[in-house]
Amino acid sequence: MAAAGPSSPALHAPFPDASDPLSSVGALSSSLDSSTGDISAFLNALLPPCAAGPSRAPDLAPVDRALSELLTRLSLLSQDTSSALEQAIHDVSRAVPRLTYDLQFMRESAGSLQSSLALVQARVQRQSAATSSVGGGGGGGGGAAGTDTDEARTRAALDRLTHLDTLKTRMESARDILREAESWSTLEGEVAAHVAAGAWARAADRLAEAGRSLVVFANTPGEYESRRALLVSLQNQLEAALSAALKDALAAADSDACARFHRIFESMDRGTEFRAYYFDARRAPVVDEWGGAMLLENGQEGPTAARFSAWLPKFYAVVLATLNAERAQVPLVFTAAAPAPVLASFLQTTLDGLSPSLHDRLAAVVEWHGAEALPELIRCLKATEDLAAAVRATLDKLEPAPAPAETPTPALTPTASAGTGTGTRAQRFSLSFASASASTGTTLATTLDATLFEPFLGVQSSYASLERRYLSHLRTSDALLGNRSARALADRTAAAFAMADDAVARCFAFTRGFGALGLVDALDAFLSAVIAETSLERAPAAAPPARNGNGSGDDDELDFDGLDYSTDDWAAFQLGLAALRACRLVRDRLGGFERSLHGTLRGIDTGGADGGASALLRDSALNSAALAAVIASPPALAAAADALAALTRDTQLALQQTILAPLRAALAGYPNLAVWAEPERARARGALAVPTFSLSPTDTVARVAEGLLNLLRVFEVVAADEALAFSLHTLPHVDAVPGLPASVTATSTATSLAPDTQLPSDLVLSTWVSSLALSLLATLTRHTLPALRALTAPGAAQLAADLAYLGNAVRALDVEWDELERWRAAADADEAAFRDNRADKVWATVGRLRGWA
């Protein structure tokens, strides 16, 4: 309670009684009884004013004397009031039994009077009405007056008791307030004396007592703030006096002294500050080890410099050793709290306070290692997971102790875990810390696993780019993958799929499977690049296969009647078949890998309830709707399938070029034949008309037709090779081959990766021959024939005969080519027919050659 000043309106409030309340005990009692405000305002009004200026403190000596005098008067008044109250109670206790008797006597008298009145009434009926009325009214009025007098006396006594009880309650409240005010006036001196004498516990108890009484001044904001500031100042002085001794006790690992200091800080409501002192002293080995690391990622060199992934387990060993040492000390120091939450809080604050942070050092790992950063990060994460398991085992060894009801120490709550292991060792511990000094009452929630694994969340979110860069590095640096020849395709893809399996394992080790979306994209790009880099270069000469039948030939040239193949051609043909077999093997491996990957990804639980690192990843950007779609449906490595289809198509085209090489060589000189420019012979006058017979084909066309008809003989040599049946839908012009089943002409990615449908060998061979014939006819009609420079009438007739002969040959192979028939018809037509069909491109070309256009 502060002394009254000029700004306090309660000092000059007039009393209801004009007399001075302090003139006598009776006047003080009357003033207190007539006061209708609160006790604090009444007491402030009794105190003398205290002059105070802006540059000097108020003089409290008059206030202190007034308080002593007022306390004395109030004590006397309290004694007088107590005596009067006891006398009143005594009088009432004596009067109440007598009042009961009086009431009983009055009741009996009333009954007797009623009987008498009945007799009188009967007599009055016989007498005059006026006399009987006067006699009855006088007797009744006298009894009622006596009853009213007793009730009024009783009511007055009870009102007096109520008044005295109210007065006593107010006087006791005034006494308590005066005692609290007197204690605050001596608080600073008492605390200073205790601190000077080294009695820190007494000083803390005195401050705790003052803190509890601070609520008395809650309704006077100015008083409350000033006394609170004084209390905080004294607490700071005590803490400063304690700090040197506390540091000495921490340095000496004196658990008894630390426990005493902890109790002192708790009594001051500064348990959080004590934990800060304690944790800062005990974490020194961990901080020194972290700050003194010699790491290659920091640009440091020397014999002691190491990679961060190799140094991190050593650092975690120091952390665990420090934690095990504190496991024995914490229960001795923090006796009023459960040791497990305190130890967990120690670990959390230690790791959070590291500088540079673990997140920064992981970023340095990514920057320094570049494309090879992913394996380094996985090793770091594995070391952190081992530390987390060891920390949980350490916490499990602590005996849980019941924590007091309102303690600022953190509470450790076990949460159900879906992780491996059984019993308490498989539990996730969730730490929740309540700030005792926060006025808003906000709860700061964190977890032990979040402290350990949250620094990895940034690099885990970048898993897709990390995996893609690492696979690209493997593709360019691996010696086996560097051999891009078609012969090594099977071995290259085997190594590539082994690397793909390793990538799946990395995805689960680093992201618990939540990076599956980036994994599929990275694998698709990696496998497609490996397949697309295959080179179909011509192989060196190799021995040709044995000829079937009675055909003969020398060792250098293999003649199939129009198809002259050298040993180099056969070597290229065998190489193409081997590449086609490798493509089929890659198709089987790719399809099997997709099915295996789908089965693995289906094991990802994106909605589980387990905590720790999985909970962080579940709440991260990795857990998206696209990830759920990849898990639900089989992943399609579309780019890899397209690259394989392109390679297969190129291989088949190379095979066709090898097989058709003799025929295309024969057609190369076809536009330059002299027959196209042969002039029309004029018939001599009078000469006989010689009938015109069918023209024979030119030697070139005859050879080409014979070669086409002998293509089946070429394939009979390799008819048993199953590679020919692979991917028939990618053969050139296969859609123009009539009579093929839908499984042959389907072109979807899913069909291309499906196992081969068993097809008859004659259908496979005929499809290849038809594709070859159509390819040769396309070359003839789109490149060879447009290269003709001119056509005379005899030349056109010869061209029509050649194309008719060739058409009959390919029809024997069950092949139809519309452009060939249009060229034949245009060559065999006259100018009038040309005029009718000049809009057709083929007819226009023939008309230009004939000179009609």
Side-chain angles (χ1 to χ4, degrees):
M1 183 174 68
S7 61
S8 177
L11 290 176
H12 306 288
F15 289 100
D17 190 355
S19 61
D20 184 8
L22 299 180
S23 61
S24 64
V25 175
L28 179 61
S29 176
S30 300
S31 299
L32 183 61
D33 187 32
S34 61
S35 176
T36 58
D38 56 10
I39 300 300
S40 298
F42 175 76
L43 294 176
N44 283 330
L46 296 178
L47 296 178
C50 178
S55 61
R56 60 187 181 91
D59 186 8
L60 299 180
V63 178
D64 188 48
R65 289 194 298 270
L67 285 174
S68 299
E69 181 181 356
L70 182 58
L71 183 61
T72 302
R73 291 181 180 275
L74 289 175
S75 298
L76 293 175
L77 181 58
S78 176
Q79 293 175 4
D80 293 345
T81 304
S82 298
S83 300
L85 181 61
E86 290 175 359
Q87 183 63 35
I89 292 174
H90 178 69
D91 294 341
V92 171
S93 64
R94 292 179 59 187
V96 168
R98 184 176 177 180
L99 180 60
T100 305
Y101 171 77
D102 291 341
L103 291 175
Q104 182 64 25
F105 176 75
M106 291 173 63
R107 187 181 296 110
E108 292 175 356
S109 298
S112 177
L113 179 60
Q114 186 177 8
S115 300
S116 300
L117 287 175
L119 295 175
V120 172
Q121 185 177 8
R123 192 179 301 157
V124 166
Q125 288 178 356
R126 294 190 296 268
Q127 296 179 0
S128 74
T131 305
S132 62
S133 299
V134 173
T147 302
D148 291 342
T149 302
D150 292 337
E151 291 179 355
R153 189 164 46 249
T154 302
R155 186 182 301 108
L158 293 177
D159 291 342
R160 182 66 175 172
L161 286 176
T162 303
H163 165 70
L164 292 175
D165 180 68
T166 302
L167 183 61
K168 180 182 178 181
T169 301
R170 292 181 176 181
M171 291 178 66
E172 288 176 348
S173 300
R175 180 194 61 193
D176 294 339
I177 292 176
L178 290 173
R179 286 179 178 175
E180 294 293 344
E182 183 180 10
S183 67
W184 274 93
S185 65
T186 60
L187 175 63
E188 186 172 5
E190 292 179 6
V191 171
H194 290 320
V195 171
W200 296 314
R202 293 182 181 178
D205 293 339
R206 185 68 180 88
L207 290 175
E209 179 183 351
R212 289 190 296 270
S213 68
L214 192 61
V215 69
V216 174
F217 306 97
N219 293 328
T220 54
E223 291 289 333
Y224 180 83
E225 294 299 332
S226 62
R227 295 184 186 276
R228 178 175 175 80
L230 175 61
L231 181 62
V232 172
S233 175
L234 294 176
Q235 288 176 340
N236 291 338
Q237 294 178 18
L238 179 57
E239 181 179 340
L242 284 173
S243 60
L246 175 59
K247 291 178 180 178
D248 293 339
L250 291 173
D254 189 346
S255 57
D256 294 336
C258 290
R260 289 194 298 271
F261 284 121
H262 177 242
R263 287 191 291 271
I264 293 173
F265 273 82
E266 285 291 339
S267 65
M268 291 192 300
D269 198 20
R270 293 201 172 189
T272 303
E273 284 77 1
F274 176 81
R275 285 198 301 274
Y277 280 111
Y278 184 85
F279 291 168
D280 186 62
R282 306 305 291 176
R283 69 166 65 102
V286 176
V287 175
D288 293 343
E289 180 70 18
W290 181 265
M294 294 288 293
L295 301 176
L296 295 174
E297 289 82 356
N298 293 343
Q300 298 168 330
E301 299 178 355
T304 60
R307 295 190 175 195
F308 181 69
S309 61
W311 173 84
L312 189 59
K314 300 177 183 178
F315 169 73
Y316 283 156
V318 176
V319 173
L320 196 58
T322 305
L323 200 65
N324 286 325
E326 289 306 307
R327 182 168 59 88
Q329 290 292 325
V330 165
L332 300 178
V333 176
F334 298 89
T335 56
V342 178
L343 196 61
S345 176
F346 168 71
L347 177 62
Q348 180 206 0
T349 55
T350 299
L351 296 181
D352 288 344
L354 295 177
S355 180
S357 64
L358 178 58
H359 177 274
D360 293 338
R361 289 203 162 167
L362 292 176
V365 169
V366 174
E367 181 178 358
W368 195 83
H369 290 278
E372 299 179 84
L374 184 56
E376 297 292 321
L377 294 173
I378 293 176
R379 283 190 281 270
C380 295
L381 181 61
K382 180 63 172 61
T384 306
E385 290 174 346
D386 294 341
L387 173 66
V391 168
R392 294 189 193 102
T394 302
L395 294 178
D396 289 341
K397 295 176 184 178
L398 294 174
E399 290 288 337
E406 296 176 354
T407 177
T409 54
L412 192 61
T413 306
T415 306
S417 172
T420 58
T422 58
T424 59
R425 294 182 185 273
Q427 292 177 340
R428 308 289 190 199
F429 289 92
S430 174
L431 301 175
S432 62
F433 299 91
S435 175
S437 60
S439 59
T440 59
T442 309
T443 302
L444 303 177
T446 185
T447 64
L448 179 60
D449 286 331
T451 300
L452 293 172
F453 296 111
E454 191 172 6
F456 288 89
L457 198 56
V459 290
Q460 286 172 326
S461 299
S462 303
Y463 164 74
S465 62
L466 292 172
E467 186 66 70
R468 185 185 290 266
R469 292 174 62 192
Y470 185 59
L471 288 174
S472 178
H473 166 73
L474 293 178
R475 180 173 57 84
T476 56
S477 61
D478 186 80
L480 183 56
L481 295 184
N483 185 3
R484 301 179 180 179
S485 66
R487 311 184 163 205
L489 179 61
D491 295 336
R492 289 176 66 244
T493 54
F497 281 111
M499 294 177 184
D501 290 333
D502 293 340
V504 176
R506 285 193 298 270
C507 176
F508 277 83
F510 193 57
T511 67
R512 308 289 177 92
F514 285 90
L517 184 62
L519 170 69
V520 172
D521 293 339
L523 289 177
D524 198 16
F526 169 68
L527 293 175
S528 63
V530 170
I531 295 171
E533 289 173 347
T534 303
S535 174
L536 295 175
E537 59 216 14
R538 189 178 182 87
R547 292 281 304 274
N548 290 337
N550 297 326
S552 61
D554 54 37
D555 293 336
D556 296 324
E557 301 291 338
L558 299 176
D559 187 5
F560 286 97
D561 297 333
L563 296 172
D564 298 330
Y565 295 116
S566 66
T567 53
D568 289 343
D569 294 332
W570 275 109
F573 184 63
Q574 293 297 330
L575 178 60
L577 288 177
L580 204 55
R581 285 191 295 270
C583 289
R584 180 185 179 187
L585 179 62
V586 173
R587 188 276 315 272
D588 295 339
R589 286 173 176 171
L590 185 59
F593 179 77
E594 282 189 352
R595 291 187 292 273
S596 174
L597 180 60
H598 177 54
T600 302
L601 297 185
R602 290 183 63 184
I604 302 174
D605 185 9
T606 59
D610 55 326
S614 297
L616 293 175
L617 291 168
R618 192 177 301 112
D619 296 334
S620 69
L622 293 176
N623 189 12
S624 61
L627 173 64
V630 168
I631 296 174
S633 60
L637 303 178
D642 292 342
L644 178 59
L647 177 61
T648 303
R649 192 178 298 108
D650 292 344
T651 303
Q652 292 170 335
L653 186 60
L655 269 174
Q656 288 198 353
Q657 288 175 349
T658 301
I659 295 172
L660 295 177
L663 301 181
R664 285 176 172 166
L667 289 175
Y670 189 66
N672 300 322
L673 295 178
V675 67
W676 314 131
E678 182 180 347
E680 184 177 3
R681 296 179 182 179
R683 190 174 59 180
R685 182 178 300 175
L688 296 175
V690 180
T692 303
F693 299 96
S694 299
L695 296 176
S696 299
T698 59
D699 293 340
T700 300
V701 170
R703 182 181 176 187
V704 168
E706 188 177 7
L708 286 175
L709 294 174
N710 284 312
L711 285 177
L712 281 174
R713 292 181 58 196
V714 176
F715 282 98
E716 287 176 358
V717 179
V718 291
D721 198 327
E722 296 181 353
L724 293 175
F726 169 63
S727 191
L728 291 179
H729 66 278
T730 57
L731 284 172
H733 309 289
V734 71
D735 53 342
V737 179
L740 294 181
S743 60
V744 174
T745 58
T747 58
S748 66
T749 301
T751 305
S752 66
L753 295 182
D756 291 332
T757 304
Q758 293 295 331
L759 298 174
S761 60
D762 56 346
L763 176 62
V764 174
L765 295 182
S766 64
T767 302
W768 268 91
V769 170
S770 299
S771 176
L772 287 167
L774 290 170
S775 296
L776 184 63
L777 293 178
T779 301
L780 174 66
T781 58
R782 297 174 183 175
H783 300 285
T784 303
L785 295 180
L788 295 174
R789 290 188 291 272
L791 278 177
T792 61
Q798 184 62 53
L799 179 61
D802 285 352
L803 297 182
Y805 182 82
L806 188 59
N808 292 332
V810 297
R811 273 191 290 273
L813 299 176
D814 199 16
V815 171
E816 293 285 347
W817 188 247
D818 179 65
E819 290 186 27
L820 180 67
E821 181 61 25
R822 284 157 53 204
W823 271 96
R824 186 205 62 76
D828 199 28
D830 55 12
E831 187 174 359
F834 164 73
R835 301 299 177 189
D836 295 337
N837 296 280
R838 65 189 307 169
D840 185 85
K841 183 177 180 180
V842 173
W843 283 74
T845 302
V846 173
R848 177 180 55 80
L849 295 175
R850 294 292 303 273
W852 296 335

